[in-house]
Amino acid sequence: MRRNYANNVSEYNTVFGSLTAQRRHYLLRYAYDDMILDGVQPVRDTFHNLIVGTMKGSRLQDAFYFRDQMREMGLQPDVNLYNFMISTCGKCKNSDAAIMLLEEMKAHGVKLKGETYICLLNALAATGRTDQVYAIVRDMTAAGLGLNKFCYAGLITTFKNKTPTTEETMPKILEFVQQSKGWKNVERVSNDSAENIMMNVTEEELYNLPTAEYVHRRGFVSKQMTIYHVATHACADLKSKETLEVLLDMVTKDGFTYDAFIVMQALRCYLRCGDIDSAVKTFEEYTSSKFPPGELCVTLAEGAMIGHTPRGMQLAQETLEKMTSMNFFLNPKMGTDLLLAASGEKTGGYTTANYIWDLMQNRKITPALPAVEAYYKGLKEREIPSDDPRLLNVSRVLDNLNIRFGPRRNRNTQT
């Protein structure tokens, strides 16, 4: 009894919610197996908790497993559960599975909601399937539903992900931004969001928008600018500086001021295009009136290291030093991303990579295995004595990470 962490369905539901909140989605299936072994009968809420967890963790195989288990218990998945599963398909870029779920809903007589159409549209957008996305738009129109901002966001994402990129890609994105301005006059597609609120699922997360991980941050994302968030993110991914500047002018003309997310995408776009001057100017203009979030500084530092130019590495170093002076501290993800970027420097004194490593060591944070491997490789390529304390420390950390994660990664590769 002392070893049991849950004894009834209510306690297990709490465990599933806790694992999801801790982002330990890979443990959900183990906890479910324990529940079955303990003879505890799952209920509908149990499966909703589990499938929301798999959606947040982008674990499509687990989502289908729990769907099958639900049926074995005699429970038919409802429309909200299908929405979560279709959203998971989008996160995993599996549009075929999303279409299969749509056919399954029709076969079982599950009535589609407005949310379902938008989930489908954004799931298909993840793979750039313009033909299928337009088919969903026609289905929405036939059902008497108007397009809202999340539909236009999906259309923009579709053209961003469509390969190969053509000359019509960026004009199409601008066209959808213009068209979206009339969405306020269209009746909302769905008001049935109580289930999502209860399950702590935002619209941005359900529809796989790039703002999903920032929407809980106070002051980081202005929800009225959703269409601009998606469009500027597309410009950064496609390295289209000209389209970005057109969008930034449109934001100003519409009476909005740039929020942190739009500034972040502008930095990404300029730096990926090699325009360090514009990136620095944008960053300084924003920070002159507001205290910058840590993510903005990290975006500037990481982007400046693209190509590992002397000026870019110097800018990255100065940005990180400013972060430290402002008492910003790197979390494991930020530190790993920065160390991985800095470790690619082939010439120079490896100053930035060493600085990032020292920052993380001072906070007792260990970067992820790929970043430590890249950093160790960079050190070995330089003329450093084999008994150098830094090299020995990195070697020890790398050995420990290989013991913990190396065999598991190999097994996954073989599987």
Side-chain angles (χ1 to χ4, degrees), residues 7-31:
N7 297 305
N8 54 51
V9 67
S10 176
E11 290 180 8
Y12 268 108
N13 286 347
T14 303
V15 168
F16 298 141
S18 178
L19 290 174
T20 299
Q22 295 173 46
R23 300 187 179 184
R24 302 174 79 178
H25 316 100
Y26 54 90
L27 293 177
L28 287 170
R29 194 155 164 179
Y30 292 107

Side-chain angles (χ1 to χ4, degrees), residues 367-412:
L369 179 56
V372 179
E373 281 178 336
Y375 180 55
Y376 180 72
K377 184 181 175 184
L379 286 174
K380 291 289 283 184
E381 289 173 353
R382 286 160 169 77
E383 296 178 3
I384 299 175
S386 58
D387 59 348
D388 180 79
R390 179 185 296 277
L391 185 62
L392 292 173
N393 180 29
V394 176
S395 177
R396 186 175 64 253
V397 172
L398 180 60
D399 289 343
N400 290 339
L401 287 172
N402 272 319
I403 290 168
R404 291 177 61 195
F405 302 111
R408 190 181 307 165
R409 291 202 313 165
N410 293 337
R411 278 202 301 273
N412 288 342

Side-chain angles (χ1 to χ4, degrees), residues 226-240:
T226 296
I227 204 73
Y228 289 115
H229 296 146
V230 178
T232 52
H233 183 265
C235 291
D237 283 359
L238 298 175
K239 301 181 185 178
S240 179

